[in-house]
């Protein structure tokens, strides 16, 4: 675990900070500290242009190998980039799913044809991706997916039917990676495929889900004879689980440190309000703030520990990574509760009619979902017990 950086790394830090200071201006100035949890619906078009601005500066794919057009930065420099990005208040990345998940997965498991077709658009910030994992009956347990894929020999295409849900920014995405069952008689992890679908086609319908925050960055996505080319399956039919798990390993990679800097920004805002309104004089509030601070530091050290053992080629992480989702999602939920308590009675009042929320009100409501999506806390505890501690598997009915 490395906790210090070289002189070269510090020069890189200055380069990142200078570029962000110079470019988070003009039309992008209002994007500072926007687009985070509970605010992901805001400024979609402006944030798309910001992605392309990053690409022009060479700041997309900073950790991608140079052979794929990336910057080829070391782990330390990737950490620095994400830290400075969050420190500058740069907006939430609408290209994260493509750059952080689809791209590394294609590099690890895709064919040269898939890589040459899809990676340039991700790197340029011109093609956005969404994630087709969760379903109405398979939100936390991915192995229960029911979406089907069959190969039509006459069309020479894969035909997809089914439904996905909680698909972030599907209404803005150009492509979706979809887990679907290629063997209709299979159950569990077996018989799955990992497909790459264009969203702009007649067989795909996107319906927004209005949330308690009043916003709709989540969607339902319906596939009714949607199709993709024969070559748009990553791996072989039946390899879908392996590819999907590799992708989740990338999800818990170096970008988690940027996420923590975003958390630090949120905690800083809570502390600022507590000082301003006097709630900081309450010993219980002070104790909760101190606990949040200490646990955020623990989160960072554990991330550095798990990154030190990451295998970049296939997304595999050390066992320490198994606790990450449970820890951060519980911490973030608690921060939302702390935030609304620090606001006191003011936190119960709308910012404006008919339903305009403050940033911390949106945070409080949105973070309830953190402990559900991407594998609920209950599923995470099962994973820790079975894969990390070697305990007996949970009994299953089928």
């Amino acid at each position: 675990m490395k906790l210090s950086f070289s002189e070269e790394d510090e020069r890189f830090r200055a380069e990142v900070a200078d570029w962000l200071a110079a470019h988070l201006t003009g039309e992008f100035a209002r994007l500072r500290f926007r687009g985070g949890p509970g605010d992901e619906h805001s400024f979609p078009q402006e944030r798309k242009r910001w992605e392309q601005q990053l690409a022009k500066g060479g700041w997309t794919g900073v950790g991608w190998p140079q052979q794929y057009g990336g910057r080829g930065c070391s782990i330390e420099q990737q950490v620095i980039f994400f830290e400075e990005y969050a420190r500058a208040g740069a907006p939430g990345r609408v290209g994260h799913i493509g750059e952080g998940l689809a791209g590394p997965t294609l590099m690890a498991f895709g064919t040269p044809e898939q890589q040459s077709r899809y990676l340039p658009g991700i790197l340029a910030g011109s093609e956005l991706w969404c994630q087709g994992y969760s379903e109405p009956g398979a939100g936390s347990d991915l192995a229960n997916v029911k979406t089907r894929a069959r190969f039509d020999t006459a069309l020479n295409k894969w035909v997809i039917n089914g439904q996905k849900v909680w698909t972030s920014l599907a209404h803005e995405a150009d492509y979706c990676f979809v887990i679907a069952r290629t063997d209709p008689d299979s159950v569990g992890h077996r018989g799955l495929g990992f497909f790459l679908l264009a969203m702009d086609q007649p067989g795909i319908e996107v319906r927004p889900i209005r949330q308690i925050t009043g916003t709709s960055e989540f969607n339902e996505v319906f596939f009714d004879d949607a199709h993709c080319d024969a070559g748009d399956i990553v791996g072989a039919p039946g390899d879908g689980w392996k590819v999907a798990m590799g992708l989740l390993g990338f999800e818990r990679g170096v970008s988690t440190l940027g996420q923590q800097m975003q958390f630090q920004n949120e905690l800083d805002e809570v502390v600022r309000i507590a000082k301003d309104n006097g709630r900081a004089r309450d010993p219980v509030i002070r104790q909760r703030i101190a606990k949040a601070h200490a646990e955020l530091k623990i989160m960072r050290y554990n991330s550095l520990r798990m990154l030190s053992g990451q295998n970049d080629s296939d997304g595999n992480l050390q066992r320490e990574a198994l606790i990450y989702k449970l820890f951060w999602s519980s911490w973030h939920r608690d921060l939302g509760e702390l935030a609304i308590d620090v606001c006191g009675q003011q936190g119960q009042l709308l910012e404006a009619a008919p339903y305009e929320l403050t940033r911390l009100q949106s945070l409080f409501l949105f973070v309830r979902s953190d402990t559900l999506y991407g594998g609920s806390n209950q599923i995470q505890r099962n994973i820790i017990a079975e894969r990390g501690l070697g305990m007996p598997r949970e009994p299953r009915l089928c």
Side-chain angles (χ1 to χ4, degrees):
M1 180 170 60
K2 182 175 182 179
L3 297 176
S4 61
F5 300 100
S6 67
E7 290 185 6
E8 181 182 356
D9 291 336
E10 294 302 333
R11 286 194 295 272
F12 178 79
R13 183 186 298 278
E15 180 185 356
V16 176
D18 289 347
W19 189 92
L20 288 168
H23 290 81
L24 276 171
T25 56
E27 66 169 320
F28 301 123
R30 63 176 178 168
L31 299 183
R32 285 180 180 267
F33 299 102
R34 302 305 304 267
D39 192 44
E40 294 182 39
H41 62 286
S42 65
F43 303 111
Q45 298 308 317
E46 292 85 349
R47 287 162 59 206
K48 286 182 182 178
R49 290 197 292 275
W50 172 248
E51 291 290 328
Q52 294 168 22
Q53 185 76 358
L54 285 171
K56 290 177 184 175
W59 298 112
T60 55
V62 293
W64 288 19
Q66 292 180 348
Q67 70 182 93
Y68 296 113
R71 204 176 180 107
C73 290
S74 65
I75 287 290
E76 290 79 7
Q77 291 180 340
Q78 292 176 63
V79 169
I80 287 171
F81 174 77
F82 285 109
E83 286 184 344
E84 292 305 313
Y85 189 90
R87 198 189 316 275
R93 298 285 306 277
V94 293
H96 167 70
I97 299 293
E99 183 182 323
L101 303 182
T105 301
L106 289 173
M107 286 182 253
F109 300 102
T111 64
E113 291 76 17
Q114 290 167 345
Q115 293 163 357
S116 63
R117 179 177 178 183
Y118 294 113
L119 295 184
I122 295 173
L123 204 59
S126 58
E127 294 177 348
L128 302 186
W129 287 70
C130 61
Q131 183 174 15
Y133 272 22
S134 296
E135 297 184 2
S140 296
D141 189 357
L142 185 61
N144 275 335
V145 298
K146 304 297 183 188
T147 296
R148 303 293 177 89
R150 63 176 175 82
F151 188 71
D152 189 315
T153 54
L155 295 173
N156 195 34
K157 292 179 181 292
W158 287 96
V159 179
I160 313 294
N161 284 279
Q163 178 188 353
K164 299 294 178 179
V165 70
W166 309 121
T167 311
S168 300
L169 299 178
H171 56 296
E172 302 287 351
D174 302 288
Y175 294 97
C176 181
F177 50 84
V178 175
I179 295 293
R181 203 162 286 284
T182 55
D183 178 356
D185 298 322
S186 64
V187 295
H189 306 167
R190 299 179 179 82
L192 297 172
F194 189 102
F195 297 91
L196 312 172
L197 271 74
M199 293 294 286
D200 184 17
Q201 60 170 294
I204 295 182
E205 179 184 359
V206 177
R207 299 179 188 172
I209 299 173
R210 186 173 175 81
Q211 301 151 208
I212 195 171
T213 55
T215 59
S216 305
E217 71 266 25
F218 288 135
N219 299 273
E220 294 177 288
V221 182
F222 295 86
F223 302 91
D224 184 9
D225 284 343
H227 60 257
C228 63
D229 291 341
D232 281 332
I233 179 172
V234 180
D239 284 348
W241 184 259
K242 179 182 71 175
V243 179
M245 292 302 102
L247 181 144
L248 291 178
F250 294 122
E251 186 176 33
R252 294 170 192 179
V254 70
S255 65
T256 59
L257 292 166
Q259 178 193 45
Q260 291 161 32
M261 287 299 295
Q262 188 177 52
F263 291 167
Q264 184 67 60
N265 290 339
E266 294 169 348
L267 178 58
D268 289 346
E269 178 67 3
V270 170
V271 171
R272 184 192 66 77
I273 292 174
K275 290 179 177 176
D276 287 349
N277 68 10
R279 295 286 286 165
R281 292 192 292 273
D282 183 329
V284 175
I285 290 292
R286 288 206 306 273
Q287 186 175 20
R288 290 170 64 187
I289 289 174
K291 179 173 181 287
H293 171 80
E295 290 180 345
L296 188 53
K297 294 298 181 186
I298 291 171
M299 199 185 310
R300 173 179 170 80
Y301 293 141
N302 187 63
S303 292
L304 291 170
R305 181 175 62 161
M306 70 188 194
L307 288 170
S308 68
Q310 184 174 12
N311 182 339
D312 288 336
S313 64
D314 59 10
N316 286 335
L317 295 170
Q318 292 182 322
R319 290 193 302 174
E320 291 82 357
L322 297 177
I323 69 173
Y324 185 71
K325 171 62 170 51
L326 176 65
F327 192 89
W328 80 254
S329 62
S330 301
W331 183 90
H332 208 207
R333 176 201 57 202
D334 293 346
L335 180 70
E337 294 175 356
L338 173 61
I340 211 70
D341 289 343
V342 163
C343 291
Q345 293 181 342
Q346 191 67 29
Q348 311 302 315
L349 301 176
L350 291 173
E351 180 81 347
Y355 192 65
E356 184 174 339
L357 303 174
T358 66
R359 294 289 303 284
L360 291 185
Q361 287 171 331
S362 292
L363 175 72
F364 167 70
L365 294 173
F366 184 85
V367 296
R368 318 304 297 180
S369 67
D370 286 344
T371 58
L372 299 174
Y373 69 75
S376 70
N377 279 8
Q378 290 77 15
I379 292 292
Q380 298 303 319
R381 290 189 176 96
N382 272 357
I383 291 173
I384 293 168
E386 296 174 6
R387 300 182 193 174
L389 303 177
M391 297 175 70
R393 293 183 62 81
E394 181 185 34
R396 297 182 183 274
L397 298 178
C398 59

